[in-house]
Amino acid sequence: MKKLKKSTLAIVLISFGMSAQDTIMPLWPKAIPNQIKSEEKEKIEHADDGIIWISNVQEPTLEVYLPAQKSMTGQAVIIFPGGGYYGLAYDWEGIDIAKTLTARGVAGIVVKYRLPWSKSITGGKNVVPLQDAQRAIRLVRENAEEWNIASNKIGIMGFSAGGHLASTLGTHYNEKVYKRQDEADDLSARPDFMALIYPVITLGEPSTHTGSRASLIGEEPSADAVDYLSNEKHVDVDTPPTFLLHAMDDEAVPVENTIMFFEALRKHNVPATMHVYPTGGHGFSLALQDEKLKDWIHLLFDWIAHLD
């Protein structure tokens, strides 16, 4: 794996019990915005289904997987795992995806982002995940040359609540939600493309995922708070090209989320591809055990390969 440049702060190499090597770097070189130190501890545990579940995120990071240099396409995808803004399905919708991308020559970069319900978050809970998302894409752009990534071929990908965060970044990338810390913050936070997989898009009734909404903006949010992060309302002509995937029988996040976002993209003439499967439910990730769904990732690879 190609090494990070020496100027990167506090790089550490760790493993969550998986065989693939990875490089992990902190998002914030100085104080983490909207956060205080507390006795709260980050938790890494295995759920009953074996998925590595991270909660109480205290130190947001990038986990970088790079393909072999000879197979690199120059493209990168920054990945936001889901978990209802309460936790992160870190391997299932993060590391597994990154490894799959690298096998096709695309850098896969997993973001361990902060969760707004954490006691260490002091304020602006609704924008804390967006702070981490903006910082993540700027750091990737800063390191693009070192990692053999084209700075204009950096996309994002999110699953479920991670899809909400990705669509938030794709529609709110120009907003100043934290104070500048270094030169990376002078770079654009606009993704070059987006892949939203069974995403939460709206925070409005009746189609929202109530758990994600409660975690992000509370049990009784104001109408303004709902509208601000109902991302179908913030699409414009500069929203990045988008790949959308959902199952019709998703009982956790209704397929209307994907349809609403597609319609908003179409209205503004933003290139978009939408795939809706009749079955599959929610949270299927790569769907390797589902004969009807398991090839969806190849549709994504084909779409990425033919982006302008």
Side-chain angles (χ1 to χ4, degrees):
M1 176 175 287
K2 193 174 181 63
K3 293 182 179 179
L4 292 171
K5 58 188 181 183
K6 293 181 181 179
S7 61
T8 302
L9 291 174
I11 297 172
V12 293
L13 299 178
I14 66 174
S15 170
F16 291 111
M18 289 153 284
S19 59
Q21 293 182 345
D22 59 276
T23 301
I24 297 180
M25 60 184 292
L27 282 182
W28 303 100
K30 300 178 182 178
I32 300 173
N34 295 57
Q35 181 168 311
I36 59 171
K37 290 184 178 180
S38 71
E39 295 181 356
E40 195 171 29
K41 302 296 184 182
E42 185 167 301
K43 295 181 181 179
I44 303 173
E45 53 195 340
H46 285 83
D48 292 341
D49 53 10
I51 293 174
I52 292 176
W53 182 257
I54 299 181
S55 58
N56 293 342
V57 173
Q58 300 297 301
E59 296 183 6
T61 59
L62 292 181
E63 184 159 358
V64 183
Y65 289 82
L66 300 179
Q69 189 167 349
K70 288 184 67 175
S71 65
M72 284 182 170
T73 65
Q75 295 169 314
V77 175
I78 300 167
I79 305 159
F80 301 100
Y85 285 119
Y86 184 81
L88 303 176
Y90 196 74
D91 56 344
W92 182 245
E93 294 173 345
I95 291 173
D96 287 358
I97 306 302
K99 292 176 182 178
T100 302
L101 290 167
T102 59
R104 294 290 293 267
V106 179
I109 301 165
V110 185
V111 183
K112 186 182 72 175
Y113 57 91
R114 287 174 294 158
L115 304 161
W117 63 272
S118 172
K119 295 177 182 178
S120 63
I121 305 301
T122 59
K125 292 176 179 288
N126 62 326
V127 298
V128 162
L130 178 59
Q131 290 172 340
D132 290 351
Q134 285 189 0
R135 177 70 182 176
I137 193 167
R138 287 174 171 138
L139 276 183
V140 173
R141 284 210 162 94
E142 183 185 45
N143 287 282
E145 184 177 355
E146 284 290 313
W147 297 342
N148 290 321
I149 294 169
S151 61
N152 63 344
K153 295 183 178 180
I154 300 171
I156 59 176
M157 186 177 190
F159 296 78
S160 193
H164 183 267
L165 179 53
S167 67
T168 302
L169 178 58
T171 54
H172 298 262
Y173 57 84
N174 266 336
E175 295 183 19
K176 293 183 179 180
V177 293
Y178 65 88
K179 292 182 180 179
R180 181 185 186 276
Q181 293 203 4
D182 56 25
E183 292 181 356
D185 290 327
D186 298 328
L187 301 174
S188 172
R190 181 185 182 274
D192 294 300
F193 57 90
M194 297 193 289
L196 307 178
I197 314 303
Y198 41 86
V200 179
I201 295 294
T202 189
L203 297 187
E205 297 290 356
S207 297
T208 191
H209 177 245
T210 55
S212 295
R213 185 172 86 160
S215 294
L216 190 59
I217 58 174
E219 295 284 354
E220 298 181 0
S222 67
D224 287 345
V226 171
D227 287 349
Y228 174 58
L229 292 175
S230 289
N231 294 324
E232 77 279 5
K233 298 183 178 183
H234 301 281
V235 172
D236 61 25
V237 296
D238 295 319
T239 301
T242 303
F243 175 99
L244 292 150
L245 180 78
H246 222 116
M248 288 179 65
D249 66 347
D250 190 332
E251 295 182 359
V253 178
V255 69
E256 282 77 13
N257 283 266
T258 281
I259 294 170
M260 280 190 285
F261 202 69
F262 178 82
E263 288 294 336
L265 294 165
R266 187 172 68 89
K267 178 181 178 181
H268 290 89
N269 295 314
V270 176
T273 294
M274 178 174 63
H275 296 279
V276 176
Y277 285 77
T279 60
H282 187 74
F284 49 75
S285 185
L286 291 168
L288 296 180
Q289 306 304 316
D290 189 319
E291 289 298 320
K292 293 181 179 179
L293 261 175
K294 67 179 182 180
D295 290 329
W296 76 260
I297 193 72
H298 300 297
L299 298 174
L300 176 64
F301 283 132
D302 183 69
W303 182 79
I304 292 175
H306 291 92
L307 286 170
D308 293 334

